[in-house]
Amino acid sequence: MRTPIIAGNWKMFKTVPEAKAFIEEIKGKAEVAGVESVICAPFTNLPALMEAVKGTSIKIGAQNLHFEDDGAYTGEISGVMLKDLGVHYVIIGHSERRAYFAESDEIVNKKVFAAFKHGITPIVCVGEKLEEREADQTKAVCKVQTEGALKGLTAEQAAQVVIAYEPIWAIGTGKSSTAQDANEVISYIRELVKGLYGENVANAVRIQYGGSVKPENVVEYMGQSDIDGALVGGASLQPTSYVQLVEGAK
Ligand SMILES: O=C[C@H](O)COP(=O)(O)O
């Protein structure tokens, strides 16, 4: 059985005091047996969040990392630095990073390797643009991005990756994919993993849906055969709403 995983992606929101107050609010509530609860926060919040979640089952993730361990890369953060903080997860290849920071599938793949090198679990984002969906290219885009991200990983590593299917047209727009459509694409991604690594890995890998997930629709997504959780932006910013998302995933 795959453990459902709700991951909040705070994007570029929250100061340190706000982040600490959020954890105080959700402690004991966003901790539901059988559901993994993860907050992916801006780098500046990570040390305080690691301290704040001590003694809880809440896990902390970053939203990016550089693929090199160190070097002259002004403004970047490496896997060595994240490991030093003890973060559990890192989001890689979010569509906002692909669009605004020119992250290619090759870079995403290098970052996945960097995460594993430092014992951090990658949450790899894939998903199509609106025009690609309209041109019936959804599966083709997901195939290139998924195979590109996983390229060269061992079966053991591939089984640990969390994949987040996020159709770009559904991110922050309030226009979510139907649960059935999302499940169809996610089943396809699982088939791709099966083709690469076999049935055991395909059955183990967790695949989330992301794109306008809210407390009101999370249960429907979680009721689908292949959806193992959600990567949530806007609705993860309020403690009450985040708690409801985690409760909805059980
Ligand atoms: O990483 C999260 C996604 O970009 C979804 O964002 P959203 O829930 O605000 O649509």
Side-chain angles (χ1 to χ4, degrees):
M1 271 301 287
R2 301 183 292 267
T3 304
I5 173 169
I6 296 293
N9 175 10
W10 282 356
K11 306 192 179 184
M12 199 172 71
F13 290 96
K14 293 196 190 292
T15 61
V16 172
E18 287 167 348
K20 288 193 327 201
F22 183 98
I23 298 298
E24 281 310 308
E25 283 282 318
I26 67 165
K27 261 185 191 172
K29 299 177 194 156
E31 299 185 73
V32 173
V35 179
E36 212 175 337
S37 171
V38 184
I39 296 292
C40 298
F43 291 129
T44 47
N45 290 342
L46 296 176
L49 285 175
M50 289 307 296
E51 189 61 32
V53 299
K54 271 187 188 158
T56 77
S57 59
I58 301 160
K59 295 186 177 158
I60 298 300
Q63 298 172 10
N64 182 32
L65 84 174
H66 196 279
F67 52 79
E68 296 289 357
D69 286 353
D70 49 32
Y73 300 104
T74 302
E76 292 292 310
I77 299 285
S78 75
V80 174
M81 297 165 182
L82 294 180
K83 182 185 180 184
D84 183 46
L85 293 180
V87 306
H88 311 97
Y89 285 93
V90 59
I91 298 173
I92 297 176
H94 190 281
S95 58
E96 289 150 14
R97 295 217 53 92
R98 292 179 190 259
Y100 308 141
F101 302 95
E103 288 195 8
S104 63
D105 292 324
E106 290 71 26
I107 290 173
V108 168
N109 182 245
K110 285 183 178 183
K111 291 185 173 193
V112 170
F113 271 89
F116 276 118
K117 180 176 176 189
H118 299 293
I120 303 164
T121 302
I123 299 175
V124 176
C125 302
V126 302
E128 81 285 1
K129 299 176 189 147
L130 181 59
E131 57 267 34
E132 291 166 336
R133 185 168 193 96
E134 287 171 348
D136 206 18
Q137 290 297 303
T138 297
K139 289 182 179 172
V141 169
C142 290
K143 179 174 164 56
V144 169
Q145 292 183 347
T146 302
E147 292 183 349
L150 302 183
K151 192 172 176 188
L153 292 183
T154 64
E156 194 190 345
Q157 289 171 326
Q160 288 173 48
V161 172
V162 177
I163 299 173
Y165 166 58
E166 299 206 313
I168 296 168
W169 49 271
I171 294 176
T173 59
K175 278 195 264 171
S176 49
S177 172
T178 66
Q180 293 72 24
D181 282 354
N183 194 53
E184 187 186 327
V185 179
I186 287 176
S187 306
Y188 171 73
I189 294 170
R190 199 176 299 288
E191 280 301 308
L192 289 175
V193 175
K194 186 175 168 185
L196 293 170
Y197 292 100
E199 193 151 9
N200 289 347
V201 173
N203 286 338
V205 74
R206 292 184 295 174
I207 311 181
Q208 301 170 303
Y209 167 73
S212 299
V213 177
K214 307 176 192 73
E216 301 81 58
N217 61 20
V218 69
V219 174
E220 199 184 352
Y221 288 111
M222 295 308 298
Q224 301 296 312
S225 61
D226 279 277
I227 301 182
D228 302 315
L231 182 59
V232 188
S236 74
L237 291 168
Q238 295 304 322
T240 315
S241 156
Y242 180 73
V243 168
Q244 287 169 349
L245 290 165
V246 176
E247 285 172 342
K250 67 183 166 201

